[in-house]
């Protein structure tokens, strides 16, 4: 495998250690503890796992963590009232509403309601708007996209001047990661299901970010030799050879791509651990903003 493996687990641990050190200094200085409130509506198993991992990570970093669980039958008003209550609570510094919300709930209306100073997911349209506007600086940057950039930067991969291709255009990953790459002076192409000649587009890229949500979609033959490949996908596929009967794969055909790429993230252990690490960083930032220390 000629590609260098980008060790997201190790990089995430370094970011989490830094957040823990900053938290300890803030607690010593203010006597208060940076605290994240997570809102989990319904019983989506993946969401339950994510939210408990986030809570555990906060506690390991010396931060406070509160999880509010609402049933899948919760009404729009109940969810919005909870967000209003968290907005008003001075002991809550960051608010995270785990997505997707159950069908029937208006996700946009809930995200629009989160206080800008507590929007640690960076999903408020004001924060996303500032992210894509030249010369504007958002209060918070979404965690997974910011984690992708952190992996590139901490691996010494040059972004300025690079040709970057983002495969996928979701609000959570594709669009914000493209904005971040653009802000870091890459030349960015956003590709999606209607893109013509996708393999040729990807073949031009020095940096490929795959965030399309389809298992092993990006093939090794699409990768330019030496390119950096950041795989955001987490897909569970059947694998009868495993005791569990399944395994996790990314959006990139890892084995093939690793033969061609210069750098590549594994799944699991690449981008995944970075999301929580960047959430801790954002929660520390939220605390600092709210206490005039940012
Ligand atoms: N669902 C998938 N990714 C995320 C994320 O980063 N934040 C939240 N709140 N929900 C998600």
């Amino acid at each position: 495998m000629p590609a260098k493996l980008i060790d997201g687990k190790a990089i995430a641990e370094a970011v989490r250690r830094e957040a823990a050190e900053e938290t300890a200094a803030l607690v010593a200085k203010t006597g208060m503890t940076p605290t994240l409130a997570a809102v989990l509506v319904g019983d989506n198993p993946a969401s339950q796992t994510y939210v408990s991992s986030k809570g555990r990570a906060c506690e390991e970093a010396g931060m406070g963590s509160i999880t509010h669980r609402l049933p899948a039958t919760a009404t729009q008003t109940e969810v919005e009232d909870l967000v209003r209550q968290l907005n008003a609570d001075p002991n809550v510094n960051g608010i995270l509403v785990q997505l997707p919300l159950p069908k029937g709930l208006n996700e946009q209306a809930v995200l629009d309601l989160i206080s800008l100073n507590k929007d640690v997911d960076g999903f408020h349209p004001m924060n996303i708007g500032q992210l894509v506007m030249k010369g504007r600086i958002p209060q918070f940057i979404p965690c997974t996209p910011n984690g992708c950039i952190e992996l590139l930067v901490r691996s010494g991969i040059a972004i300025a001047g690079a040709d970057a291709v983002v495969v996928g255009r979701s609000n959570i990953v594709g669009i914000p990661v493209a904005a971040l790459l653009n802000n870091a002076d890459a030349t960015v192409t956003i590709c999606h299901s209607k893109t013509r000649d996708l393999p040729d587009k990807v073949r031009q890229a020095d940096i490929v970010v795959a965030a399309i949500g389809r298992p092993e979609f990006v093939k090794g033959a699409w990768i330019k030799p030496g390119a950096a490949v950041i795989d955001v996908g987490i897909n569970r596929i059947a694998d009868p050879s495993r005791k569990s009967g399944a395994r996790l794969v990314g959006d990139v055909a890892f084995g093939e791509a690793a033969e061609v790429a210069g750098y590549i993230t594994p799944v699991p252990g690449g981008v995944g651990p970075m999301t929580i690490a960047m959430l801790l960083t954002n929660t520390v930032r939220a605390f600092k903003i709210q206490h005039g220390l940012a």
Side-chain angles (χ1 to χ4, degrees):
M1 185 182 93
K4 283 202 183 99
L5 210 58
I6 299 178
D7 186 348
K9 233 174 118 190
I11 296 175
E13 267 166 30
V15 173
R16 285 169 65 157
R17 215 168 22 248
E18 289 159 21
E21 282 165 12
E22 209 173 355
T23 298
L26 289 168
V27 171
K29 189 182 169 90
T30 66
M32 291 176 283
T33 305
T35 296
L36 173 74
V39 176
L40 176 60
V41 188
D43 39 27
N44 178 323
S47 292
Q48 286 175 335
T49 307
Y50 290 140
V51 168
S52 13
S53 305
K54 287 165 186 173
R56 222 173 18 251
C58 282
E59 283 155 20
E60 280 170 21
M63 295 181 190
S65 155
I66 311 161
T67 302
H68 291 268
R69 291 183 169 81
L70 294 178
T73 52
T75 63
Q76 184 74 23
T77 309
E78 282 168 337
V79 179
E80 291 188 6
D81 282 348
L82 175 55
V83 171
R84 283 193 194 90
Q85 177 199 318
L86 297 172
N87 280 341
D89 185 342
N91 295 316
V92 167
N93 304 110
I95 302 172
L96 176 147
V97 177
Q98 185 62 35
L99 303 178
L101 289 174
K103 277 202 175 61
L105 290 172
N106 181 342
E107 212 162 86
Q108 287 184 12
V110 173
L111 296 182
D112 290 3
L113 206 59
I114 295 175
S115 163
L116 279 178
N117 282 345
K118 297 188 178 185
D119 181 31
V120 287
D121 254 331
F123 291 159
H124 191 288
M126 175 73 95
N127 275 321
I128 296 286
Q130 287 176 328
L131 185 67
V132 302
M133 288 170 83
K134 196 174 166 126
R136 298 273 199 143
I137 299 171
Q139 197 91 276
F140 297 102
I141 297 170
C143 302
T144 304
N146 208 12
C148 295
I149 302 297
E150 202 67 28
L151 289 177
L152 291 168
V153 169
R154 292 195 189 222
S155 304
I157 295 160
I159 303 176
D163 287 321
V165 166
V166 178
V167 185
R169 54 175 164 178
S170 70
N171 286 339
I172 291 183
V173 184
I175 294 297
V177 84
L180 286 169
L181 289 164
N182 176 58
N183 292 347
D185 298 322
T187 302
V188 184
T189 304
I190 303 174
C191 298
H192 44 77
S193 58
K194 302 235 167 18
T195 296
R196 266 185 276 145
D197 305 323
L198 180 60
D200 286 342
K201 301 269 190 316
V202 175
R203 226 172 264 126
Q204 303 303 313
D206 305 305
I207 297 170
V208 180
V209 179
I212 188 107
R214 293 211 222 160
E216 301 176 323
F217 178 76
V218 174
K219 309 301 178 204
W222 302 7
I223 304 296
K224 173 160 126 179
V229 178
I230 307 293
D231 189 350
V232 184
I234 302 177
N235 309 288
R236 188 174 294 278
I237 62 165
D239 182 349
S241 75
R242 298 278 176 107
K243 223 163 67 183
S244 66
R247 71 189 156 98
L248 293 181
V249 297
D251 289 355
V252 176
F254 179 86
E256 301 169 15
E259 291 301 321
V260 191
Y263 295 85
I264 191 164
T265 60
V267 176
V271 174
M274 292 302 291
T275 300
I276 288 180
M278 302 319 288
L279 177 67
L280 300 186
T281 304
N282 278 354
T283 304
V284 169
R285 180 171 163 72
F287 180 92
K288 287 167 76 178
I289 289 170
Q290 285 150 43
H291 292 93
L293 300 167

